[in-house]
Amino acid sequence: MSNDLPNVEDSMKMLAKLHANSSSPNGKYGFHVPTLQGTVPQFAEWTESWEDFFTNSIKLVFENEERSQGSDPEVQHLCEETLEKVVPRLLRPLETGGRHIKPCLIHGDLWDGNTSTNVETDQPVIYDATCIYAHNE
């Protein structure tokens, strides 16, 4: 690998292809091993619905933030409202009424520090420890 950033257009095409051509091995959202974003554990347990997976994921983010920054009643209330009202209203319609989301492999921590260029092929390389099977958006 080189220290050069890959071509942006080629990188995005590669990610789009990954999203389109991958599928969860069991049809669920999650991952078969624990994942980290930096040093922070991510929610990766297998779940049946995108709403459940996202709810558990964002709940863990809220809990980590509270541990790090301390408790705040207003923030706690906003977190509860988000989990109980906002997430279901936005995500439940994606998987009801005959609609379905195909869990695909996504890159969970995409930034220029997780990319490079293969010196032999000049193709983009993206690496990361926060991969999960999730909604591709």
Side-chain angles (χ1 to χ4, degrees):
M1 288 190 286
S2 75
N3 290 328
D4 297 330
L5 291 176
N7 177 282
V8 173
E9 187 174 325
D10 291 343
S11 297
M12 296 305 102
K13 285 179 182 177
M14 185 176 77
L15 280 176
K17 187 176 179 181
L18 174 70
H19 292 168
N21 296 329
S22 64
S23 62
S24 170
N26 57 15
K28 297 179 181 181
Y29 302 90
F31 208 64
H32 63 284
V33 296
T35 62
L36 302 169
Q37 185 157 351
T39 60
V40 180
Q42 302 300 295
F43 181 81
E45 294 176 24
W46 295 113
T47 61
E48 298 286 337
S49 77
W50 175 237
E51 179 184 342
D52 289 342
F53 185 86
F54 186 86
T55 298
N56 284 306
S57 295
I58 199 72
K59 184 178 178 182
L60 183 58
V61 170
F62 293 158
E63 290 169 353
N64 287 336
E65 186 68 14
E66 185 173 346
R67 273 193 294 280
S68 169
Q69 302 301 316
S71 182
D72 179 286
E74 184 178 1
V75 172
Q76 285 178 328
H77 176 72
L78 291 172
C79 292
E80 290 169 9
E81 293 290 302
T82 300
L83 293 171
E84 295 171 10
K85 295 180 182 177
V86 177
V87 171
R89 287 180 188 167
L90 292 175
L91 300 186
R92 192 166 297 155
L94 299 174
E95 295 182 287
T96 56
R99 289 178 288 276
H100 177 73
I101 299 169
K102 178 189 124 189
C104 63
L105 189 61
I106 67 160
H107 189 288
D109 189 18
L110 189 58
W111 65 292
D112 63 1
N114 287 349
T115 62
S116 187
T117 303
N118 183 317
V119 293
E120 295 175 7
T121 64
D122 202 38
Q123 293 297 306
V125 176
I126 300 173
Y127 45 92
D128 181 65
T130 313
C131 293
I132 55 171
Y133 290 95
H135 188 322
N136 68 350
E137 296 296 326

